[in-house]
Amino acid sequence: MKRVITTLAILLVVVVTGMSALVLLVNPNDFRAYMVQQVEQRSGYRLDVSSDLRWHVWPQLSILAGRMSLTAPGASQPLVSAENMRLDVDLWPLLSHQLSVSQVLLKNAIVRVTPESSAQRAKNAPQGPRDAEPASASSGWSFDIAKLRVADSLLIWQQPGGDEYNFRDLNINMEQDANKLATLSLSTSLMRNQRNATLNLKGQLDAAQYPHRLSGQLQQLDYALSGADIPVQGIKGSLSLQGEWNGDRQQFSFSNLQLTANDSMLTGQGSGQVALPQQLVLDLKASTLNLDNLLTSTPVPETPGVQHATVARSPVIAAPRERSNADSPLNDLNLALKLQADSVVWRGLSLTGLVVNASNQQGLMTLNTLSGKLGNGSFSVPGSIDIRQPETQVSLKPQLRLIAIQPLLKAFELPESLQGNLSLDGELSGNTLTVDAAKRSWQGRATVSASNLKLAQLNLQQMVQRAVARVSDKVSSQEAVDEGIESISGQVALNKGVISFSDINGNGQNLGLQGAGKVDMVQQQLDVTLGLKISGWHGDEALVKTLSSQPVPLRMYGDWNSLQYSLPVDAVLRDRLQSEAKSRLNQWIDRQKEGENKENLKKIMRP
């Protein structure tokens, strides 16, 4: 044991002595020009190191540098700048005065991905033909760099003409082998307009054919969003996929997509093209898709005694940047989307079997198919959305079949005063694709019908029967059980928040009705008049005949939270009595005239 310890101690002394001698014999500044030359030769980027290089021996033989920057050709700002840079080097190549860097560590770096930091083509630079063969594969500019670490840094990202985003606490670890197969991990956070986002990424990247091809696997990307204009519980989830990039054609594709967002889950695949015209093809499937947990526009149910958290709104900026349809990325994109979802929750509605087949042609979006089931009913809403003009144009042709009315009213934040099943065929148009805009500014017409319709806390037959009983005791009827209206149909017109009903016809047990009216969704008022015909009366034949044949007008009007009613049964009966009295008077007059005529005839016939 003593011999082993003595041997190890001797070896340690030899290694330390050798490294110390190497440090004394080799000046790291001798490699400065070599590093600058290699970086520029392999990538075209300019490397600047402002301070002298110095050795760091323990625990890893390294070269320490102060401020450094890496600038793309023709760029006005560096792509990467850092306060500290450490190069971990291999020992044996130094014996022959060669530099082999095993790891690069940048600390407190600033990475700029902006128009100012991107490479610029020289004004007089020659351009080859578009159909020329692509350049040979680049060997990369890592020059034997196996590991790259970026710690406690900042990423500034900005698209041309877009907003600037600062990703803080940027940490990157990348390792690559001799075959250019890299393992990557990344974490960062973003804060903007009172919104927070955190990202944690792990993946693999095959850069053996870079820049012509890249392929890789995003093993896991965990994200979390919170703050203003985001649901109170936030949005959390993960993403994984396999992807490939074709640099020559500027095309990409991905498969085995698995995306989770709160309790929603999507799978699928897609492909696209970055070069103009940009293209994107998506084929997605969802087992569950809860939009209410992802959107802030969902109505919150009012439960007595329960307090609901309020979604924080984005701050008011003194001079906000005006956005228009011209800013939409859809104007430069050709999109084809296919989506199938087994279960979807939208504004409290539980949809099943949702199928979406949509396309976008540089701002003209077409909903070829938007269909599904709601309860025992079904729906289909094809249409188009045009954002090629400053004002959005929306055109939809909804078709509903036996859709439950009460949940639908709740979803659109309307009084839940009707029960039954609704069928509808219509055409709607507007200038903004939101529920609030649809209730305020859309226009359209539709043919509607409903079955098993009931008015909440309102029995039409019973109202008429009790009103007749108060006016006259000559007729009676067995008090009806509220079985609603078996079927009703009519025409509906929507004009800037006002729904107008016309040609309303319906029937139920011992009930027939006709009518018209309107509902103002903006002012929350209505004015509807129904002519009710009730059968099943007993008593005075004349009154029974009158009540069975003549409609009794029921008017409902005023604020829909405190409706007023008008049911003038006495006027109907009074009109009937007046009509009967007038008829009897006319009969008496006719008899009198007939008697006088007979007397005159007798006088003429008398000899």
Side-chain angles (χ1 to χ4, degrees), residues 82 133 141 154 158 239 268 327 345 368 393 398 406 414 442 466 472 539 586:
E133 291 294 329
W141 45 279
L154 170 67
Q158 181 185 20
L239 170 66
D327 299 324
V345 177
N368 300 309
Q393 297 297 323
Q406 197 168 41
L414 296 173
W442 279 29
R466 292 181 178 181
S472 175
N586 290 333

Side-chain angles (χ1 to χ4, degrees), residues 12 57 65-66 77 82 123 146 151 157 210 292 317 370 382 412 434 461 464 503 510 533 543 589 602:
L12 180 60
V57 177
Q77 291 184 349
K123 295 183 179 179
W157 180 76
Y210 178 80
D292 288 355
I317 303 175
L370 175 56
F412 286 89
T434 64
Q461 298 183 56
V464 175
D503 300 330
N510 298 326
K533 292 183 180 180
L543 291 179
I589 293 175
K602 289 181 179 180

Side-chain angles (χ1 to χ4, degrees), residues 118 140 172 285 333 338:
S118 60
I172 301 175
K285 294 182 180 180
L333 178 66
K338 291 183 179 180

Side-chain angles (χ1 to χ4, degrees), residues 28 50 70 101 171 217 376 448 489 501 503 512 546 555 557 563:
S50 60
L70 188 66
V101 179
N171 292 278
Q217 179 181 8
N376 296 324
V448 299
S489 62
F501 300 91
D503 300 330
T546 298
R555 182 189 177 196
Y557 61 95
L563 279 179

Side-chain angles (χ1 to χ4, degrees), residues 289-529:
L289 188 59
N290 191 340
L291 299 178
D292 288 355
N293 282 343
L294 303 176
L295 304 175
T296 59
S297 58
T298 302
V300 178
E302 296 182 0
T303 304
V306 178
Q307 294 183 353
H308 300 278
T310 302
V311 177
R313 298 303 176 186
S314 56
V316 178
I317 303 175
R321 179 173 176 262
E322 294 185 1
R323 298 183 180 273
S324 63
N325 286 341
D327 299 324
S328 175
L330 293 174
N331 288 322
D332 298 321
L333 178 66
N334 292 334
L335 170 68
L337 170 64
K338 291 183 179 180
L339 172 64
Q340 296 180 357
D342 298 333
S343 175
V344 180
V345 177
W346 177 72
R347 300 183 71 85
L349 300 175
S350 297
L351 314 178
T352 59
L354 179 69
V355 177
V356 179
N357 187 347
S359 64
N360 174 69
Q361 296 294 324
Q362 299 182 1
L364 178 59
M365 291 171 279
T366 303
L367 292 172
N368 300 309
T369 304
L370 175 56
S371 61
K373 294 182 179 180
L374 176 58
N376 296 324
S378 62
F379 65 90
S380 175
V381 191
S384 64
I385 305 169
D386 191 349
I387 62 171
R388 296 174 297 179
Q389 304 299 326
E391 189 174 70
T392 303
Q393 297 297 323
V394 182
S395 179
L396 301 176
K397 294 183 178 180
Q399 297 178 347
L400 309 181
R401 295 292 180 268
L402 300 176
I403 297 294
I405 297 177
Q406 197 168 41
L408 201 63
L409 294 173
K410 183 178 180 180
F412 286 89
E413 298 180 278
L414 296 173
E416 304 170 44
S417 56
L418 295 178
Q419 297 179 3
N421 298 319
L422 173 68
S423 297
L424 178 148
D425 290 276
E427 295 183 1
L428 300 174
S429 62
N431 55 18
T432 306
L433 190 60
T434 64
V435 172
D436 185 66
K439 293 164 58 177
R440 291 179 175 273
S441 61
W442 279 29
Q443 298 179 344
R445 303 188 67 86
T447 299
V448 299
S449 62
S451 59
N452 301 322
L453 187 67
K454 291 185 178 181
L455 283 74
Q457 300 178 351
L458 191 64
N459 188 332
L460 298 180
Q461 298 183 56
Q462 190 179 81
M463 290 179 64
V464 175
Q465 290 170 346
R466 292 181 178 181
V468 171
R470 288 193 298 267
V471 174
S472 175
D473 58 357
K474 295 183 179 181
V475 290
S476 63
S477 176
Q478 183 178 358
E479 193 164 283
V481 179
D482 186 13
E483 297 182 356
I485 302 172
E486 294 178 359
S487 64
I488 188 172
S489 62
Q491 301 294 320
V492 176
L494 173 63
N495 184 18
K496 297 181 179 181
V498 178
I499 303 177
S500 300
F501 300 91
S502 61
D503 300 330
I504 298 177
N505 290 280
N507 61 80
Q509 186 177 9
N510 298 326
L511 172 67
L513 64 86
Q514 296 178 339
K518 62 181 181 179
V519 176
D520 192 330
M521 293 185 290
V522 178
Q523 301 296 328
Q524 298 187 355
Q525 293 185 346
L526 62 82
D527 190 347
V528 177
T529 300

